[in-house]
Amino acid sequence: MLRLRFHGRGGQGAKIASRILGTAAFFEGYYAQDFPLYGAERRGAPISAFTRISKEPILERGIIAEPDSVFVLDETLLDDPHAHPLSGLKEHGIVFVNTARSAVELKDTYKISVQVITLDITKISLKMLGKPILSALAGGIAARIVNLGEDSLKKSIEKELSEIITEKEFLLKNKEASQYCFHAIKPIEIKIAKGIHKANPVITVPFETALISSPTIYTTGNTPLRKTGNWRVFKPVWNYDICTKCMVCVVRCPDACISVNEDGYPYTDYDNCKGCMICVEECPVKAIEGMREAHAW
């Protein structure tokens, strides 16, 4: 499996570049997975995006901590301790950096020991698109580095960008810029290490009834000071005459607000119950009713 990571600034196109690469791999017959990671920061903040490509079904999930290759769309990120784009890069990994400087200069400046490839795709983008939008260009470079075909790249660009670009002429320019960057990079042999994850032990958790073990809203990590019960419009009310003590409501409550009383019947913590009414929906004998709140507690 190839594990690839993109680093850029909000608005540069790192997220779409990751999608272009993943879709191109899919068109070439691989399994592919891609997704971004960014917060609520403004445009220009560092973001990351991830792509996995494999001949076998991909069972991994989550961020890629140990990539085979890293694509850096803004050289200033190399010095950014929050972005830290080279973290976890494998010993035989490859780094692409969007910069006007040479690979030798970059390796000396940032003390990079792995193979570095550079190309000033911002300059190319300004010349060919008239704007510093790098998604199609970075996607073309990434496709070249991981040895995907040109036809797959073309189809991917068409699919991904036609969903966000309505102007045909601009879409065509993006295709041409992507092809230009694809051919600007020489074919590379990227080495893939076999498996990076150690086997995880399987822990068997014994079954315990809700009387002995059940989730609780006050488990460590939650705050006892922040009450959420006043969010509620409806509150659950149990009819113990028909309740079978099956404990489905205890298990299904997403906020762990339902406990079991001394008689073995479930009840909710109204200080924290948000009134989602999932317990009402899930109760197999309809022993819980959603009652309209008369006023805030």
Side-chain angles (χ1 to χ4, degrees):
M1 182 190 303
L2 274 175
R3 300 170 177 87
L4 310 143
R5 198 170 65 206
F6 292 77
H7 291 270
R9 295 193 177 278
Q12 282 187 315
K15 170 188 168 183
I16 301 299
S18 168
R19 287 193 62 85
I20 289 170
L21 179 62
T23 302
F26 177 77
F27 282 134
E28 200 138 319
Y30 291 97
Y31 292 91
Q33 180 189 88
D34 62 77
F35 55 96
L37 177 66
Y38 49 86
E41 297 90 346
R42 60 183 168 74
R43 186 181 182 90
I47 78 145
S48 305
F50 310 88
T51 308
R52 291 186 173 94
I53 299 172
S54 175
K55 293 180 180 177
E56 305 295 331
I58 299 172
L59 303 180
E60 283 185 9
R61 294 293 185 271
I63 64 169
I64 296 174
E66 298 181 41
D68 297 291
S69 187
V70 167
F71 304 91
V72 183
L73 274 57
D74 189 318
E75 181 189 335
T76 63
L77 292 174
L78 292 172
D79 263 345
D80 189 323
H82 299 293
H84 204 32
L86 304 185
S87 67
L89 183 62
K90 293 177 185 173
E91 184 180 352
H92 300 291
I94 296 173
V95 181
F96 168 79
V97 182
N98 170 30
T99 176
R101 298 204 278 178
S102 70
V104 174
E105 288 179 297
L106 222 62
K107 294 185 75 166
D108 287 343
T109 303
Y110 297 103
K111 311 301 180 191
I112 303 173
S113 59
V114 299
Q115 182 178 358
V116 175
I117 299 169
T118 66
L119 185 65
D120 190 351
I121 59 174
T122 299
K123 180 180 178 181
I124 297 169
S125 180
L126 289 171
K127 182 179 180 180
M128 299 186 71
L129 304 180
K131 300 177 181 179
I133 300 175
L134 310 177
S135 50
L137 295 79
I141 287 169
R144 183 66 152 179
I145 288 177
V146 303
N147 292 310
L148 296 180
E150 189 173 358
D151 289 342
S152 300
L153 175 63
K154 288 179 180 176
K155 290 170 62 179
S156 176
I157 294 281
E158 175 71 31
K159 180 182 185 306
E160 295 299 335
L161 296 191
S162 62
E163 295 177 358
I164 55 178
I165 297 176
T166 56
E167 188 182 338
K168 289 186 178 180
E169 185 180 351
F170 193 56
L171 178 60
L172 178 61
K173 287 182 178 179
N174 270 274
K175 290 179 182 176
E176 292 171 348
S178 179
Q179 297 301 308
Y180 179 90
C181 291
F182 182 86
H183 291 290
I185 302 293
K186 294 180 180 177
I188 300 160
E189 182 184 357
I190 185 167
K191 297 180 180 178
I192 306 172
K194 290 184 178 178
I196 60 171
H197 293 291
K198 298 178 181 178
N200 294 318
V202 177
I203 300 172
T204 302
V205 180
F207 171 78
E208 293 178 333
T209 68
L211 282 170
I212 299 172
S213 175
S214 63
T216 170
I217 188 72
Y218 292 123
T219 297
T220 301
N222 287 347
T223 171
L225 303 179
R226 182 77 170 101
K227 308 296 185 184
T228 53
N230 60 349
W231 299 10
R232 200 169 53 232
V233 177
F234 292 90
K235 67 178 181 181
V237 177
W238 276 258
N239 180 350
Y240 292 153
D241 289 338
I242 58 175
C243 175
T244 62
K245 303 179 182 179
C246 68
M247 302 303 154
V248 168
C249 56
V250 177
V251 175
R252 293 288 192 271
C253 177
D255 295 309
C257 284
I258 302 176
S259 302
V260 182
N261 65 21
E262 292 179 351
D263 296 325
Y265 288 103
Y267 70 99
T268 195
D269 172 0
Y270 287 120
D271 282 348
N272 291 290
C273 171
K274 299 172 185 171
C276 67
M277 298 293 105
I278 289 176
C279 55
V280 175
E281 295 293 329
E282 294 291 328
C283 178
V285 296
K286 304 303 177 188
I288 312 173
E289 178 187 359
M291 183 178 292
R292 180 75 164 87
E293 291 276 25
H295 52 77
W297 54 272

